Amino acid sequence: MKKRVTIAACLLALAAQAQAQEPKEPPKEPVEALRQRLAERLSTKGEGAATATAKSTAKPAAKPAPPAKAEAHKGEAKAAHWGYAGDLSPEHWAELAPDNKLCAVGTRQSPIDIREGIAVELEKISFDYRASNFSVLDNGHTVQVNVAPGNGLTVMGRRYELVQFHFHRPSEERVNGKQFDMVAHLVHKDEQGRLAVVAVLLERGPDNKPQPLVQAVWANLPLEKGEALPAQVQIDLNQLLPADRGYFTYMGSLTTPPCTEGVLWMVMRQPVALTAQQLGIFARLYPMNARPLQAGSGRLIKESLGSASGGP
């Protein structure tokens, strides 16, 4: 019996030895190694997906330009151009931009035909004009003169600083139905933003006496529109004022878009003379840049009683 057990044990040992000598299957990878490889593969795949996502989002990110361009056009529409003829003429101003609505529905619009003014002892306008540097701008609507700070006027206890002055042909305002060759509008503003405009009527006078201030402005006309030309000389606006400082006054508006109301108007009663050549120079640039008359709407108009002389 003992012999049989021994033989069986030998046979088992030989079988185990033979099995050990047979070619084995490649050893399987440990679980941790598999996990590591899988993690690396997933990481690579994730980076590719992230790169693809970045590429796909990069294009939309580069597209803000068209909306910005459209916004720029929208801004341009707000600053709509206007003029004095055709589709840009005064009867269409209110249609060109929402801010211009007063040009159509306002009840205190300018200019007006100044009639039936009540003659009273109007307060004298205290002009505070002095020799100043200036620049001339052709803004596409008129010739505008920008004057250095320090010029202004005081009326009714309020100080107004001169902002700029410009010209219209023919005069926008009329006096008892009479229209003049041109007019200069001197635009002033006080600390609260209230506007006051002095209108100096201009008419043809002797051709041998050029108006000195206008002559200086014309001599410094810029060659291009939209570019202000600084002058190398000074002007004194006292030279533009008539000897008689009597005036008409009423409440009105700007005569150009947006036709803002609440403007104090002071129209000098005595015209200032220009030569035919001086009138002709502006006429070549702007044959007509005057807004038509607006309804008086029962506004009170006051006129200086008698004459009112004024020095510089």
Side-chain angles (χ1 to χ4, degrees), residues 41 46 55 60-61 109 123 130 138 145 196 224 261 294 312:
R41 185 172 298 178
K55 289 181 179 179
Q109 290 291 292
E123 176 189 350
R130 59 197 67 186
D138 184 342
V145 182
E224 297 288 347
E261 295 189 337
Q294 304 297 301

Side-chain angles (χ1 to χ4, degrees), residues 72-81 96-97:
H73 285 299
K74 185 178 179 183
E76 290 171 6
K78 289 182 180 179
H81 186 58
L96 301 177

Side-chain angles (χ1 to χ4, degrees), residues 48-310:
T51 304
T53 304
K55 289 181 179 179
S56 64
T57 55
K59 291 183 180 179
K63 289 185 179 178
K69 188 175 181 181
E71 196 65 29
H73 285 299
K74 185 178 179 183
E76 290 171 6
K78 289 182 180 179
H81 186 58
W82 51 271
Y84 292 94
D87 293 337
L88 302 178
S89 61
E91 56 265 31
H92 297 292
W93 286 350
E95 305 165 10
L96 301 177
D99 291 343
N100 298 352
K101 63 180 181 179
L102 282 177
C103 299
V105 303
T107 59
R108 293 292 184 270
Q109 290 291 292
S110 298
I112 62 172
D113 185 3
I114 299 172
R115 294 177 179 267
E116 301 176 353
I118 299 176
V120 294
E121 291 286 351
L122 283 178
E123 176 189 350
K124 181 180 177 180
I125 304 172
S126 178
F127 290 100
D128 181 19
Y129 293 157
R130 59 197 67 186
S132 305
N133 296 326
F134 70 101
S135 62
V136 184
L137 171 69
D138 184 342
N139 61 19
H141 303 122
T142 185
V143 173
Q144 176 178 308
V145 182
N146 301 317
V147 183
N151 294 277
L153 61 83
T154 302
V155 65
M156 293 183 286
R158 187 173 297 156
R159 166 83 179 186
Y160 295 87
E161 297 296 330
L162 179 67
V163 178
Q164 49 92 352
F165 68 95
H166 58 270
F167 301 88
H168 294 276
R169 180 182 188 275
S171 69
E172 294 189 303
E173 43 282 291
R174 303 185 189 187
V175 179
N176 293 320
K178 180 180 179 180
Q179 192 171 32
F180 296 80
D181 293 306
M182 285 179 59
V183 67
H185 286 168
L186 290 77
V187 183
H188 304 73
K189 182 185 292 187
D190 72 0
E191 292 181 348
Q192 286 72 43
R194 289 172 290 205
L195 297 173
V197 180
V198 172
V200 178
L201 301 166
L202 305 172
E203 65 179 4
R204 181 175 177 178
D207 289 339
N208 62 346
K209 292 184 179 180
Q211 211 290 326
L213 183 140
V214 172
Q215 192 76 353
V217 172
W218 284 186
N220 286 278
L221 286 170
L223 296 176
E224 297 288 347
K225 292 183 186 294
E227 296 181 6
L229 177 65
Q232 302 304 308
V233 297
Q234 293 186 325
I235 54 173
D236 187 344
L237 279 167
N238 289 295
Q239 294 180 325
L240 187 60
L241 299 175
D244 183 351
R245 303 291 171 83
Y247 64 100
F248 304 95
T249 185
Y250 73 97
M251 293 303 297
S253 74
L254 296 179
T255 64
T256 58
C259 306
T260 305
E261 295 189 337
V263 178
L264 173 65
W265 278 87
M266 292 164 283
V267 181
M268 306 308 291
R269 187 168 51 198
Q270 182 183 42
V272 169
L274 271 60
T275 66
Q277 183 186 30
Q278 290 178 322
L279 293 170
I281 288 174
F282 188 83
R284 288 184 60 183
L285 297 174
Y286 294 99
M288 201 291 291
N289 68 335
R291 187 188 190 191
L293 291 174
Q294 304 297 301
S297 303
R299 274 173 281 184
L300 176 65
I301 300 172
K302 294 195 291 187
E303 176 185 0
S304 296
L305 185 63
S307 62
S309 61

